[in-house]
Amino acid sequence: MLLREVGYVRPGSVAEALAALAADDGARALAGGQTLVNVMKARAGSPDVLVDLNGIDELKGIELGGDGTLEIGAMTTYSEIVASSEARARPILGEVCAQIADVQVRNRGTIGGNVCTNDPTNHLPPLLAAIGAEFTIQGADGSRTVSAADFFGVYFTAVGPGELLTSVRIPAGRSDGFAAVTLGVDGTCIASAAASLNGHVRVALGCVDAVPVVLEPAAADADAVRAAVQGASLDPPSDVHASAAYRVHLAEVLAVRAVQQAQGSA
Ligand SMILES: Cc1cc2nc3c(=O)[nH]c(=O)nc-3n(C[C@H](O)[C@H](O)[C@H](O)COP(=O)(O)OP(=O)(O)OC[C@H]3O[C@@H](n4cnc5c(N)ncnc54)[C@H](O)[C@@H]3O)c2cc1C
């Protein structure tokens, strides 16, 4: 199917990109295009102008701070995270990025696009919520940093019109886990869970709500984790892939698996 005619600009800096977004209400950022272009092909979205972020070097790269904090540019691809020696400071990042779809998607798809899409079946929203990531957003009035709790909203993110996510900050830590049931090998998640045991137990569930459901079980044993999931009163959607009741069951099983993986990686 042919796309509707669409304008295209390729700015060389964040400032130029923000100016291009501000110049047209119908302008949209283009990152890896792995969701946006499919949305356009399906006619579910029809931007007037694509502001291609691929020429902006300041949005790319991974920096490892002296305290173990990672600062990852929004335009860093999954493949770059998998290959990065710096990103191994938080090994779960590369492990999960390596599970996303196929090599073509991993070579184009970006950490920023993954979270800005805010698709509950995507791998990174629950992972980044569990490990306490922070998100830096830049707009005409400057930049601000928000937590995952403030970033992910129901059908929106904290990135407002005319703004860009510029980077994702990952605190130091190693004891993390991720478990998912997917449609086929490396397919879309039917249910997912991420866990982090750095200091305290934090679990984030994916695919059971519009946003990651973050839980703080009282302890890391299986009974405590199950109790926390049961106490969350989950009300996930039913669809062709899984009933709501099956997703609730998977959430419990996967939360326990993710915590056990985190214990093993300590
Ligand atoms: C066949 C296939 C299978 C897939 N399977 C999975 C999977 O199993 N797990 C998974 O997690 N994902 C999966 N995806 C989605 C993939 O990970 C996408 O890469 C991701 O959802 C979007 O990232 P992108 O860089 O391609 O962003 P784009 O598609 O370019 O953009 C997505 C949205 O985010 C906005 N945006 C992007 N970057 C920014 C920014 N820096 N600031 C503000 N807004 C921004 C865009 O305007 C757009 O609205 C799959 C995709 C395909 C095609």
Coordinates of all heavy atoms in Angstrom, one line a residue, residues 10-90:
R10 N 15.7 16.0 8.1 CA 16.7 15.3 8.9 C 17.6 16.2 9.6 O 18.7 16.6 9.1 CB 17.5 14.4 7.9 CG 18.4 13.4 8.5 CD 19.1 12.5 7.5 NE 20.2 11.8 8.0 CZ 20.2 10.5 8.4 NH1 19.0 9.8 8.4 NH2 21.3 9.9 8.8
P11 N 17.2 16.7 10.8 CA 18.0 17.7 11.5 C 19.3 17.0 12.0 O 19.5 15.8 12.1 CB 17.1 18.0 12.7 CG 16.2 16.9 12.9 CD 16.0 16.3 11.5
G12 N 20.3 17.9 12.2 CA 21.6 17.5 12.7 C 21.8 17.7 14.2 O 22.9 17.3 14.7
S13 N 20.8 18.3 14.9 CA 21.0 18.6 16.3 C 19.6 18.5 17.0 O 18.6 18.6 16.3 CB 21.6 19.9 16.5 OG 20.7 20.9 16.1
V14 N 19.7 18.3 18.3 CA 18.4 18.3 19.0 C 17.7 19.6 18.9 O 16.4 19.7 18.7 CB 18.7 18.0 20.5 CG1 17.4 18.2 21.4 CG2 19.1 16.6 20.7
A15 N 18.4 20.7 18.9 CA 17.8 22.1 18.8 C 17.0 22.2 17.4 O 15.9 22.6 17.4 CB 18.8 23.2 18.9
E16 N 17.7 21.7 16.4 CA 17.0 21.7 15.0 C 15.8 20.8 15.0 O 14.8 21.1 14.4 CB 18.0 21.3 13.9 CG 19.0 22.3 13.6 CD 20.1 21.7 12.6 OE1 19.8 20.8 11.9 OE2 21.2 22.2 12.6
A17 N 15.9 19.7 15.7 CA 14.8 18.7 15.7 C 13.6 19.3 16.4 O 12.4 19.2 16.0 CB 15.2 17.4 16.3
L18 N 13.9 20.0 17.6 CA 12.8 20.6 18.4 C 12.2 21.7 17.5 O 10.9 21.9 17.6 CB 13.4 21.2 19.7 CG 13.8 20.1 20.7 CD1 14.5 20.8 21.9 CD2 12.6 19.3 21.2
A19 N 13.0 22.5 16.8 CA 12.4 23.5 15.9 C 11.5 23.0 14.9 O 10.4 23.5 14.6 CB 13.6 24.4 15.3
A20 N 11.9 21.8 14.3 CA 11.1 21.2 13.2 C 9.8 20.7 13.8 O 8.7 20.7 13.2 CB 11.9 20.1 12.6
L21 N 9.9 20.1 15.0 CA 8.6 19.6 15.6 C 7.7 20.8 16.0 O 6.5 20.7 15.8 CB 9.0 18.8 16.9 CG 9.6 17.5 16.7 CD1 10.2 16.9 18.0 CD2 8.7 16.5 16.0
A22 N 8.3 21.9 16.4 CA 7.5 23.1 16.8 C 6.8 23.7 15.6 O 5.8 24.4 15.7 CB 8.3 24.1 17.6
A23 N 7.5 23.6 14.4 CA 7.0 24.3 13.2 C 5.7 23.7 12.7 O 5.0 24.3 11.8 CB 8.1 24.2 12.2
D24 N 5.4 22.4 13.1 CA 4.2 21.8 12.4 C 3.5 20.9 13.5 O 4.2 19.9 14.0 CB 4.6 21.0 11.2 CG 3.5 20.5 10.4 OD1 2.4 20.2 11.0 OD2 3.6 20.4 9.2
D25 N 2.3 21.1 13.8 CA 1.6 20.3 14.8 C 1.5 18.8 14.4 O 1.4 17.9 15.2 CB 0.1 20.8 15.0 CG 0.1 22.0 15.8 OD1 1.1 22.4 16.4 OD2 -1.0 22.7 15.8
G26 N 1.6 18.6 13.0 CA 1.5 17.2 12.5 C 2.8 16.6 12.3 O 2.9 15.5 11.7
A27 N 3.9 17.2 12.9 CA 5.2 16.6 12.8 C 5.4 15.5 13.8 O 5.0 15.7 15.0 CB 6.3 17.7 12.9
R28 N 6.1 14.4 13.5 CA 6.4 13.4 14.4 C 7.9 12.9 14.3 O 8.4 12.9 13.2 CB 5.5 12.1 14.1 CG 4.1 12.3 14.4 CD 3.7 12.0 15.9 NE 3.9 10.7 16.3 CZ 3.0 9.7 16.1 NH1 1.8 10.0 15.5 NH2 3.2 8.5 16.5
A29 N 8.4 12.6 15.5 CA 9.8 12.1 15.5 C 9.9 10.7 14.8 O 9.0 9.9 15.1 CB 10.3 12.1 16.9
L30 N 10.9 10.5 14.0 CA 11.1 9.2 13.4 C 12.4 8.6 14.0 O 13.5 9.2 13.8 CB 11.2 9.3 11.9 CG 11.6 8.0 11.2 CD1 10.5 6.9 11.3 CD2 12.0 8.2 9.7
A31 N 12.3 7.5 14.7 CA 13.6 6.9 15.3 C 13.9 5.7 14.4 O 14.3 5.9 13.2 CB 13.3 6.5 16.7
G32 N 13.7 4.5 14.9 CA 14.1 3.3 14.0 C 13.0 3.0 13.0 O 13.2 2.2 12.1
G33 N 11.8 3.6 13.2 CA 10.7 3.4 12.2 C 10.0 2.0 12.4 O 9.1 1.7 11.6
Q34 N 10.4 1.2 13.3 CA 9.9 -0.2 13.4 C 8.5 -0.3 13.9 O 7.8 -1.2 13.6 CB 10.9 -1.0 14.3 CG 12.3 -1.1 13.7 CD 12.3 -1.7 12.3 OE1 11.9 -2.8 12.1 NE2 12.7 -0.9 11.3
T35 N 8.0 0.8 14.5 CA 6.6 0.9 14.9 C 6.0 2.0 14.0 O 4.9 1.7 13.4 CB 6.4 1.2 16.4 OG1 6.9 0.1 17.1 CG2 5.0 1.5 16.7
L36 N 6.6 3.1 14.0 CA 5.9 4.3 13.3 C 5.6 4.0 11.8 O 4.5 4.3 11.4 CB 6.8 5.5 13.5 CG 6.2 6.8 12.9 CD1 4.8 7.1 13.4 CD2 7.1 8.0 13.1
V37 N 6.6 3.4 11.1 CA 6.3 3.2 9.7 C 5.2 2.2 9.5 O 4.4 2.3 8.6 CB 7.6 2.8 9.0 CG1 7.4 2.4 7.5 CG2 8.6 4.0 9.0
N38 N 5.2 1.2 10.4 CA 4.1 0.2 10.3 C 2.8 0.8 10.6 O 1.7 0.5 9.9 CB 4.4 -1.0 11.2 CG 5.5 -1.9 10.6 OD1 5.6 -2.0 9.4 ND2 6.3 -2.5 11.5
V39 N 2.7 1.7 11.5 CA 1.5 2.4 11.9 C 1.0 3.3 10.7 O -0.1 3.3 10.3 CB 1.8 3.4 13.1 CG1 0.7 4.4 13.2 CG2 1.8 2.5 14.4
M40 N 2.0 3.9 10.0 CA 1.7 4.7 8.8 C 1.2 3.8 7.7 O 0.2 4.1 7.0 CB 2.9 5.5 8.3 CG 3.3 6.6 9.3 SD 4.9 7.3 9.0 CE 4.6 8.1 7.4
K41 N 1.8 2.6 7.5 CA 1.4 1.7 6.4 C 0.0 1.2 6.7 O -0.8 1.0 5.7 CB 2.4 0.5 6.3 CG 3.7 0.9 5.6 CD 4.8 0.0 5.9 CE 4.8 -1.3 5.2 NZ 5.9 -2.1 5.5
A42 N -0.3 1.0 8.0 CA -1.7 0.5 8.3 C -2.7 1.6 8.3 O -3.9 1.4 8.6 CB -1.6 -0.2 9.7
R43 N -2.2 2.9 8.0 CA -3.1 4.1 8.1 C -3.7 4.3 9.4 O -4.7 4.9 9.5 CB -4.2 4.0 7.0 CG -3.7 3.7 5.6 CD -3.4 5.0 4.9 NE -2.5 4.8 3.8 CZ -2.8 5.3 2.6 NH1 -3.9 6.0 2.4 NH2 -2.0 5.0 1.6
A44 N -3.0 3.8 10.5 CA -3.5 4.1 11.8 C -2.9 5.4 12.3 O -3.4 6.0 13.3 CB -3.1 3.0 12.8
G45 N -2.0 6.0 11.6 CA -1.4 7.3 11.9 C -0.9 7.9 10.6 O -0.5 7.2 9.7
S46 N -0.9 9.2 10.6 CA -0.6 9.9 9.3 C 0.1 11.2 9.6 O -0.5 12.3 9.4 CB -1.9 10.0 8.5 OG -1.6 10.6 7.2
P47 N 1.4 11.2 10.0 CA 2.0 12.5 10.3 C 2.2 13.3 9.0 O 2.2 12.7 7.9 CB 3.4 12.0 10.8 CG 3.5 10.6 10.8 CD 2.2 10.0 10.2
D48 N 2.2 14.6 9.2 CA 2.5 15.5 8.1 C 3.9 15.5 7.7 O 4.3 15.6 6.5 CB 2.0 16.9 8.4 CG 0.5 17.0 8.6 OD1 -0.2 16.2 8.0 OD2 0.0 17.8 9.4
V49 N 4.8 15.5 8.8 CA 6.2 15.6 8.5 C 6.9 14.6 9.5 O 6.6 14.5 10.6 CB 6.7 17.0 8.9 CG1 8.2 17.1 8.7 CG2 6.0 18.1 8.1
L50 N 7.9 13.9 8.9 CA 8.7 13.0 9.7 C 10.0 13.8 10.1 O 10.7 14.3 9.2 CB 9.0 11.7 9.0 CG 7.9 10.8 8.8 CD1 8.3 9.6 7.9 CD2 7.3 10.3 10.1
V51 N 10.3 13.9 11.3 CA 11.5 14.5 11.8 C 12.5 13.4 12.1 O 12.4 12.8 13.2 CB 11.3 15.4 13.0 CG1 12.6 16.1 13.4 CG2 10.2 16.5 12.6
D52 N 13.3 13.0 11.2 CA 14.2 11.9 11.3 C 15.4 12.2 12.3 O 16.2 13.1 12.1 CB 14.8 11.5 9.9 CG 15.6 10.3 9.9 OD1 15.9 9.7 11.0 OD2 15.9 9.8 8.8
L53 N 15.4 11.4 13.4 CA 16.4 11.7 14.4 C 17.8 11.0 14.2 O 18.7 11.1 14.9 CB 15.9 11.2 15.8 CG 14.5 11.8 16.2 CD1 14.1 11.2 17.6 CD2 14.5 13.3 16.2
N54 N 17.8 10.2 13.0 CA 19.0 9.4 12.8 C 20.3 10.1 12.5 O 21.4 9.5 12.6 CB 18.7 8.4 11.7 CG 17.8 7.2 12.2 OD1 18.3 6.3 12.8 ND2 16.5 7.3 12.0
G55 N 20.2 11.4 12.2 CA 21.4 12.2 12.0 C 21.9 13.0 13.2 O 22.8 13.8 13.1
I56 N 21.3 12.7 14.3 CA 21.7 13.5 15.5 C 22.6 12.7 16.4 O 22.2 11.9 17.2 CB 20.4 13.9 16.3 CG1 19.4 14.6 15.4 CG2 20.7 14.8 17.5 CD1 18.1 15.1 16.0
D57 N 23.9 13.0 16.3 CA 24.9 12.2 17.1 C 24.7 12.3 18.6 O 25.0 11.4 19.4 CB 26.3 12.6 16.7 CG 26.6 12.1 15.3 OD1 25.9 11.2 14.8 OD2 27.6 12.7 14.7
E58 N 24.2 13.5 19.1 CA 24.1 13.7 20.5 C 23.0 12.8 21.1 O 22.9 12.7 22.4 CB 23.9 15.2 20.8 CG 22.6 15.8 20.3 CD 22.5 17.3 20.3 OE1 22.4 17.9 21.4 OE2 22.5 17.9 19.2
L59 N 22.2 12.2 20.3 CA 21.2 11.3 20.8 C 21.6 9.8 20.8 O 20.9 8.9 21.2 CB 19.9 11.4 20.0 CG 19.1 12.7 20.1 CD1 17.9 12.6 19.2 CD2 18.6 12.9 21.5
K60 N 22.9 9.6 20.5 CA 23.4 8.2 20.3 C 24.5 8.0 21.3 O 25.2 8.9 21.7 CB 23.9 8.0 18.9 CG 22.9 8.1 17.8 CD 23.5 7.9 16.5 CE 22.5 8.3 15.4 NZ 23.1 8.3 14.0
G61 N 24.7 6.7 21.7 CA 25.8 6.3 22.5 C 25.5 6.0 23.9 O 24.4 6.2 24.4
I62 N 26.4 5.3 24.6 CA 26.3 4.8 25.9 C 27.5 5.2 26.7 O 28.6 4.9 26.4 CB 26.2 3.2 25.9 CG1 25.1 2.8 25.0 CG2 26.0 2.6 27.3 CD1 25.0 1.3 24.7
E63 N 27.2 5.9 27.8 CA 28.3 6.3 28.7 C 28.2 5.7 30.1 O 27.1 5.6 30.6 CB 28.2 7.9 28.9 CG 28.8 8.7 27.8 CD 28.6 10.2 28.1 OE1 28.6 10.6 29.2 OE2 28.5 10.9 27.0
L64 N 29.3 5.2 30.6 CA 29.3 4.5 31.9 C 30.0 5.5 32.8 O 31.2 5.8 32.7 CB 30.1 3.2 31.8 CG 30.3 2.4 33.1 CD1 28.9 2.1 33.7 CD2 31.1 1.2 32.8
G65 N 29.3 5.9 33.9 CA 29.8 6.8 34.8 C 30.7 6.1 35.9 O 30.6 4.9 36.0
G66 N 31.5 6.9 36.6 CA 32.3 6.3 37.6 C 31.6 5.5 38.7 O 32.1 4.6 39.3
D67 N 30.3 5.9 38.9 CA 29.5 5.2 40.0 C 28.7 4.1 39.4 O 27.8 3.5 40.1 CB 28.5 6.2 40.6 CG 27.5 6.9 39.6 OD1 27.7 6.6 38.4 OD2 26.6 7.6 40.0
G68 N 28.9 3.7 38.1 CA 28.2 2.6 37.5 C 26.9 3.0 36.8 O 26.3 2.1 36.2
T69 N 26.6 4.2 36.8 CA 25.4 4.7 36.2 C 25.6 4.7 34.6 O 26.6 5.1 34.2 CB 25.0 6.1 36.6 OG1 24.8 6.1 38.0 CG2 23.8 6.6 35.9
L70 N 24.6 4.2 33.9 CA 24.6 4.3 32.4 C 23.8 5.4 31.9 O 22.6 5.5 32.4 CB 24.1 2.9 31.9 CG 25.1 1.7 32.0 CD1 24.3 0.5 31.7 CD2 26.2 1.9 31.0
E71 N 24.3 6.1 31.0 CA 23.5 7.2 30.3 C 23.4 6.7 28.8 O 24.4 6.7 28.1 CB 24.2 8.5 30.4 CG 23.4 9.7 30.0 CD 22.4 10.2 31.1 OE1 22.6 10.0 32.3 OE2 21.3 10.7 30.7
I72 N 22.2 6.4 28.4 CA 22.0 5.8 27.1 C 21.2 6.8 26.2 O 20.1 7.1 26.5 CB 21.3 4.4 27.1 CG1 22.0 3.5 28.1 CG2 21.2 3.8 25.7 CD1 21.4 2.1 28.2
G73 N 21.8 7.2 25.1 CA 21.1 8.1 24.2 C 19.9 7.5 23.6 O 19.9 6.3 23.3
A74 N 18.8 8.3 23.5 CA 17.5 7.7 23.0 C 17.6 7.0 21.7 O 16.8 6.1 21.4 CB 16.5 8.9 23.0
M75 N 18.6 7.4 20.8 CA 18.7 6.8 19.5 C 19.6 5.7 19.4 O 20.0 5.2 18.4 CB 19.1 7.9 18.5 CG 18.0 8.8 18.1 SD 16.6 8.0 17.3 CE 17.3 7.4 15.8
T76 N 20.0 5.1 20.6 CA 20.9 3.9 20.6 C 20.0 2.7 20.3 O 18.9 2.5 20.9 CB 21.5 3.8 22.0 OG1 22.1 5.0 22.3 CG2 22.5 2.7 22.1
T77 N 20.5 1.9 19.4 CA 19.7 0.7 18.9 C 19.9 -0.4 19.9 O 20.9 -0.5 20.7 CB 20.1 0.3 17.5 OG1 21.5 -0.2 17.6 CG2 20.0 1.4 16.5
Y78 N 19.0 -1.4 19.8 CA 19.1 -2.6 20.6 C 20.4 -3.3 20.3 O 21.1 -3.8 21.2 CB 17.9 -3.6 20.3 CG 16.6 -3.0 20.3 CD1 15.7 -3.2 19.3 CD2 16.1 -2.1 21.3 CE1 14.4 -2.7 19.2 CE2 14.9 -1.6 21.3 CZ 14.0 -1.8 20.3 OH 12.8 -1.3 20.2
S79 N 20.8 -3.4 19.0 CA 22.0 -4.1 18.7 C 23.2 -3.4 19.3 O 24.2 -4.0 19.7 CB 22.2 -4.2 17.1 OG 21.2 -5.0 16.6
E80 N 23.2 -2.1 19.3 CA 24.3 -1.3 19.9 C 24.4 -1.6 21.4 O 25.5 -1.7 22.0 CB 24.2 0.2 19.6 CG 24.5 0.5 18.2 CD 24.1 1.9 17.8 OE1 23.2 2.5 18.5 OE2 24.5 2.3 16.7
I81 N 23.2 -1.7 22.1 CA 23.2 -2.0 23.5 C 23.8 -3.5 23.7 O 24.6 -3.7 24.6 CB 21.8 -1.9 24.1 CG1 21.4 -0.4 24.1 CG2 21.7 -2.5 25.5 CD1 20.0 -0.1 24.4
V82 N 23.4 -4.4 22.9 CA 23.8 -5.8 23.0 C 25.3 -5.8 22.9 O 26.0 -6.6 23.6 CB 23.1 -6.7 22.0 CG1 23.8 -8.1 21.9 CG2 21.6 -6.8 22.2
A83 N 25.9 -5.1 21.9 CA 27.3 -5.1 21.6 C 28.2 -4.3 22.6 O 29.4 -4.4 22.5 CB 27.6 -4.7 20.2
S84 N 27.6 -3.4 23.4 CA 28.3 -2.4 24.1 C 29.0 -3.0 25.4 O 28.3 -3.7 26.2 CB 27.4 -1.3 24.6 OG 27.9 -0.6 25.7
S85 N 30.3 -2.8 25.5 CA 31.0 -3.3 26.7 C 30.5 -2.4 27.9 O 30.4 -2.9 29.1 CB 32.5 -3.2 26.6 OG 32.9 -1.9 26.2
E86 N 30.2 -1.1 27.7 CA 29.7 -0.3 28.8 C 28.4 -0.8 29.3 O 28.2 -0.9 30.6 CB 29.5 1.2 28.3 CG 30.8 1.9 28.1 CD 31.4 1.7 26.7 OE1 30.8 1.0 25.9 OE2 32.5 2.2 26.5
A87 N 27.5 -1.2 28.4 CA 26.2 -1.6 28.8 C 26.2 -2.9 29.7 O 25.3 -3.2 30.4 CB 25.3 -1.9 27.6
R88 N 27.4 -3.6 29.6 CA 27.5 -4.9 30.4 C 27.6 -4.5 31.9 O 27.5 -5.4 32.8 CB 28.7 -5.7 30.0 CG 28.2 -6.5 28.8 CD 29.3 -7.4 28.2 NE 29.0 -7.5 26.8 CZ 29.8 -7.3 25.8 NH1 31.1 -7.1 26.0 NH2 29.4 -7.3 24.5
A89 N 27.7 -3.2 32.3 CA 27.6 -2.9 33.7 C 26.3 -3.2 34.2 O 26.1 -3.4 35.4 CB 27.9 -1.4 33.8
R90 N 25.3 -3.3 33.4 CA 23.9 -3.7 33.8 C 23.5 -4.8 32.9 O 22.8 -4.6 31.9 CB 22.9 -2.5 33.8 CG 21.6 -2.8 34.6 CD 21.7 -2.3 36.0 NE 20.8 -2.9 36.9 CZ 20.1 -2.3 37.8 NH1 20.2 -1.1 38.1 NH2 19.2 -3.0 38.6

